[in-house]
Amino acid sequence: MKEVFIGNYGLEQVGQKMTATGWVANIRNHGKLAFIELRDREGLLQVFVAGDSPAFAGIDHLHKEDVISVTGEVVKRESRFVNKAIKSGQVELRAEAIQILANSKSLPFELDQHAHTGEDLRQKYRYLDLRRSKMTENLKLRHQVTSTIRDYLNGKDFMEVETPYLTKSTPEGARDFLVPSRVFKNQFYALPQSPQMLKQLLMGAGLERYYQVVRCFRDEDLRGDRQPEFTQVDMEMSFVSEEDIRRLVEGMLKAVVKKTHGLELTEAFSTISYEEAMSRFGSDKPDTRFGLELNSLTDLCQANESLLIKKALDNQEEVMGICVPNAANAFTKKQLSHFYQEMKGFGASRFASVTVKAGGLQGDLASTFETEVAAFIERFKAQDGDLLLLVIAKKRQAQEALGYLRLEVAKHLDLIDQSLLNFLWVVDWPLLEWNEDQNRYQAMHHPFTQGIFEDGEETGQFRSHAYDIVLNGYEIGGGSLRIHDRKAQEAMFELLGMSREDYERDFGFFLEALEYGFPPHGGLALGLDRLVMILAGEENIRQVIAFPKNGTGFDPMLESPSLVDQRQLKDLHLELKN
């Protein structure tokens, strides 16, 4: 085993005879001398091979990505040859003997040309893709984040406890991955979407502070920041308040940023309510690294005489918009038409783009808002040359449409400072949300969330003791105070339209546990993959997972999922149908 990784060789190794092992990243043969760039996990080391060295005779037999062993003396480079781009750049190894430990055939793609290679090919040969320095650095960052979190929580008297992967399928939440049982005919385990009930049961067991870096599984449609299997930092605490939990998680994330980026975050994370997030940013996970905040204009349009606005107000639709500074000529008609199609997808009945010029409005629907010009400009604090993008839709649809639009505009105009790490707490979440397809309420977070009930409130107005932690426009974690009383938990199930028969069948074991002296408790789950993705500056979660699935949930390297032997199906009492 190496005492020193070759990528870390420095002045302290000068004068020593070393045996360096690694992969041949590059060879430069100049006829009378040669240079080998040797690579290991920590980086590159330059190997100098003199023409009169016994090692030179084997140079012609070397190929890129061969694994070799080089014995020689470490020498200090002349100052003019120091390579500041690599950690070992002050030294080089003077080769005396080279041994080939393993040959490599021609690669399916050049590692330094990965950007020109399709992602499926890179994933098929993921073990090669991971040799790239950026991918190695991503995995090292992931290790740093995980170890820092463990150290922090261990220092706060948390216990790491493992929970099972073979659990029970429950109806609430995303679609389960099911595992057929060989022993129990026609019955199934489910892979856990999270250890939610299990970690709550650990609180009932009296452990008081639990955490786990745990794999979770959800059979849902994929996107750039989502995988069917993912890693969660799961935490649960007894006898805590919301503020206790947020303070602990905030301290943990500050420790992570200090360890990984060397940044000392001294200020408390900002906190806004769910409703404020939606009204200002059109998102429950707002990116606050730039402005373009939403403004409602509905109150300014009450006296508008146009049929368009009257009809919109009669339908309880709202007029909302964003102001884009100095962007009057930033978008083509084709781009604005594309925005309109996107807004229709969110349910907006109209979309308009107007520019501010000489204190007036020009463009789509400018004449419709002729009497509101001064009020609009004042509401947006707009200046000549600004662009106003307006939508007419139901309140939540308008907010979500503009929330999407502000992000698209910010990306197009390069308004986002990529160096910032903007953490944000979103609190005061609704307890329930209406599911149009099922014609019933469903839990906004999950059915074990503690509600806040006030006299005179209707069911849809109930709030909850729930909180999300957001970073740069991504939800990286969420949690809540939990229900710890059986009657309250049953009442929650009934709010969700579940019959006693249903919840006794699916959650009877948990309801019974609540009758044996269950403490007040709460917690939070942090998405490790997503957090590392943001800290690494990546746009896709697959870049920080060693062996991910592709965008369809398929693994090109393992060729999984795949067909299995009929004997296995027979053992599981399964029969395939076309």
Side-chain angles (χ1 to χ4, degrees):
M1 186 168 67
K2 298 177 183 178
E3 291 187 11
V4 183
F5 285 101
I6 64 174
N8 290 333
Y9 278 19
L11 297 177
E12 55 273 22
Q13 277 75 43
V14 169
Q16 298 181 32
K17 178 169 282 192
M18 306 288 286
T19 298
T21 53
W23 286 259
V24 176
N26 199 14
I27 307 168
R28 303 193 305 277
N29 189 342
H30 299 291
K32 294 184 179 181
L33 56 89
F35 293 96
I36 302 169
E37 289 180 4
L38 197 60
R39 184 189 69 245
D40 71 0
R41 192 187 80 184
E42 294 301 311
L44 296 172
L45 172 69
Q46 179 168 286
V47 176
F48 172 77
V49 189
D52 57 358
S53 166
F56 192 81
I59 287 292
D60 290 338
H61 301 292
L62 288 184
H63 303 90
K64 289 175 72 170
E65 297 307 312
D66 283 352
V67 181
I68 65 172
S69 169
V70 182
T71 301
E73 182 183 351
V74 179
V75 300
K76 183 179 179 180
R77 294 199 207 186
E78 293 182 37
S79 57
R80 58 187 176 135
F81 294 130
V82 167
N83 184 353
K84 295 180 180 179
I86 59 176
K87 288 183 286 184
S88 67
Q90 291 183 289
V91 300
E92 66 182 13
L93 184 66
R94 296 289 175 94
E96 298 171 9
I98 298 176
Q99 179 184 1
I100 299 176
L101 303 177
N103 293 112
S104 173
K105 65 180 184 179
S106 297
L107 301 185
F109 62 93
E110 292 294 324
L111 302 188
D112 56 359
Q113 295 294 317
H114 68 278
H116 305 292
T117 306
E119 188 181 23
D120 265 10
L121 184 62
R122 286 171 43 216
Q123 280 196 240
K124 180 176 176 62
Y125 297 96
R126 186 65 164 185
Y127 45 88
L128 297 178
D129 195 39
L130 290 176
R131 291 183 188 177
R132 295 192 295 112
S133 60
K134 175 59 175 171
M135 298 301 292
T136 306
E137 290 303 313
N138 284 352
L139 292 185
K140 286 163 67 176
L141 174 66
R142 185 185 179 105
H143 168 70
Q144 270 191 320
V145 171
T146 307
S147 60
T148 302
I149 286 172
R150 278 197 164 101
D151 290 345
Y152 183 88
L153 293 175
N154 291 341
K156 297 291 183 181
D157 295 323
F158 278 71
M159 287 177 59
E160 185 169 10
V161 183
E162 292 182 339
T163 53
Y165 281 173
L166 296 177
T167 62
K168 179 182 177 69
S169 180
T170 57
E172 293 294 323
R175 188 181 293 107
D176 289 324
F177 282 103
L178 299 177
V179 181
S181 169
R182 177 184 59 83
V183 177
F184 301 98
K185 185 176 180 180
N186 297 332
Q187 297 187 53
F188 294 81
Y189 299 103
L191 300 181
Q193 296 182 32
S194 80
Q196 182 60 48
M197 282 183 290
L198 295 169
K199 67 181 179 182
Q200 289 188 247
L201 290 172
L202 289 173
M203 297 302 98
L207 297 188
E208 298 200 28
R209 296 180 193 176
Y210 140 93
Y211 82 94
Q212 184 182 187
V213 180
V214 60
R215 299 294 276 179
C216 300
F217 307 86
R218 292 178 186 170
D219 186 6
E220 56 188 352
D221 294 335
L222 303 184
R223 59 191 186 203
D225 64 341
R226 184 184 283 171
Q227 280 275 290
E229 53 180 321
F230 57 96
T231 304
Q232 191 168 280
V233 180
D234 207 44
M235 292 168 273
E236 200 76 7
M237 294 144 267
S238 295
F239 312 111
V240 290
S241 66
E242 270 191 62
E243 291 72 21
D244 291 334
I245 297 168
R246 296 209 304 265
R247 187 162 48 246
L248 176 118
V249 172
E250 195 165 312
M252 182 180 73
L253 290 170
K254 286 178 177 178
V256 166
V257 170
K258 184 176 181 180
K259 179 69 174 180
T260 60
H261 285 59
L263 295 176
E264 189 89 49
L265 301 180
T266 56
E267 296 184 4
F269 295 170
S270 298
T271 302
I272 64 173
S273 70
Y274 169 85
E275 283 301 330
E276 184 183 355
M278 294 302 300
S279 63
R280 288 176 57 191
F281 303 103
S283 172
D284 56 25
K285 47 183 184 296
D287 191 337
T288 57
R289 291 174 295 172
F290 62 98
L292 306 186
E293 292 191 19
L294 282 57
N295 268 297
S296 176
L297 309 169
T298 309
D299 60 311
L300 305 179
C301 299
Q302 296 302 310
N304 193 296
E305 293 296 323
S306 75
L307 291 176
L308 173 67
I309 301 304
K310 282 188 171 186
K311 182 179 178 182
L313 297 180
D314 287 344
N315 289 336
Q316 279 75 54
E317 291 186 320
E318 304 251 349
V319 182
M320 295 186 190
I322 59 174
C323 176
V324 190
N326 304 311
N329 300 310
F331 299 99
T332 64
K333 288 184 178 180
K334 183 178 180 180
Q335 288 170 322
L336 292 172
S337 177
H338 172 72
F339 287 156
Y340 180 39
Q341 295 303 317
E342 295 286 345
M343 296 302 94
K344 285 203 299 185
F346 281 92
S349 58
R350 289 301 297 265
F351 168 76
S353 59
V354 295
T355 57
V356 181
K357 186 174 182 180
L361 299 180
Q362 294 184 352
D364 303 338
L365 301 186
S367 59
T368 302
F369 298 112
E370 192 171 3
T371 58
E372 290 86 12
V373 169
F376 274 25
I377 291 175
E378 173 61 26
R379 178 66 53 89
F380 284 114
K381 305 298 181 191
Q383 305 288 330
D384 281 3
D386 290 354
L387 173 68
L388 308 186
L389 299 175
L390 311 176
V391 298
I392 300 174
K394 299 285 188 182
K395 180 179 178 180
R396 192 64 81 216
Q397 292 171 328
Q399 289 174 341
E400 291 175 350
L402 288 171
Y404 169 83
L405 187 60
R406 71 181 286 269
L407 281 172
E408 291 299 299
V409 168
K411 291 173 185 175
H412 180 81
L413 299 180
D414 198 22
L415 301 180
I416 304 174
D417 186 344
Q418 301 293 341
S419 68
L420 295 178
L421 291 174
N422 276 20
F423 289 95
L424 178 73
W425 285 107
V426 180
V427 301
D428 289 333
W429 281 72
L431 181 66
L432 308 168
E433 60 181 341
W434 185 253
N435 187 315
E436 292 284 354
D437 295 334
Q438 299 180 18
N439 195 36
R440 68 174 182 91
Y441 283 107
Q442 63 185 27
M444 194 76 159
H445 273 71
H446 55 63
F448 311 102
T449 302
Q450 192 180 118
I452 302 172
F453 307 102
E454 296 181 5
D455 292 340
E457 280 188 330
E458 296 180 6
T459 302
Q461 296 175 320
F462 296 152
R463 291 176 298 116
S464 66
H465 286 290
Y467 35 84
D468 276 6
I469 181 69
V470 174
L471 174 58
N472 292 357
Y474 290 93
E475 175 209 333
I476 59 169
S480 65
L481 297 185
R482 323 299 191 188
I483 299 167
H484 66 281
D485 173 79
R486 176 168 184 149
K487 288 184 178 179
Q489 186 63 72
E490 288 179 343
M492 179 63 173
F493 288 147
E494 287 165 7
L495 268 179
L496 299 175
M498 297 177 67
S499 68
R500 177 174 292 275
E501 180 184 5
D502 288 340
Y503 63 68
E504 286 283 4
R505 179 194 65 232
D506 295 327
F507 303 105
F509 70 96
F510 181 69
L511 292 169
E512 183 178 10
L514 293 177
E515 296 185 284
Y516 289 100
F518 224 91
H521 61 287
L524 180 137
L526 195 71
L528 182 69
D529 313 283
R530 198 174 289 174
L531 172 61
V532 176
M533 178 188 79
I534 299 166
L535 294 176
E538 297 286 1
E539 294 185 354
N540 195 299
I541 205 167
R542 295 191 287 273
Q543 297 298 99
V544 298
I545 298 173
F547 299 106
K549 307 293 185 289
N550 67 15
T552 66
F554 182 72
D555 186 332
M557 183 182 71
L558 299 177
E559 297 184 340
S560 171
S562 61
L563 297 173
V564 297
D565 192 281
Q566 286 293 327
R567 288 173 296 180
Q568 290 177 276
L569 295 176
K570 185 177 180 181
D571 287 344
L572 294 169
H573 321 290
L574 295 177
E575 182 180 340
L576 298 183
K577 293 184 178 180
N578 292 327

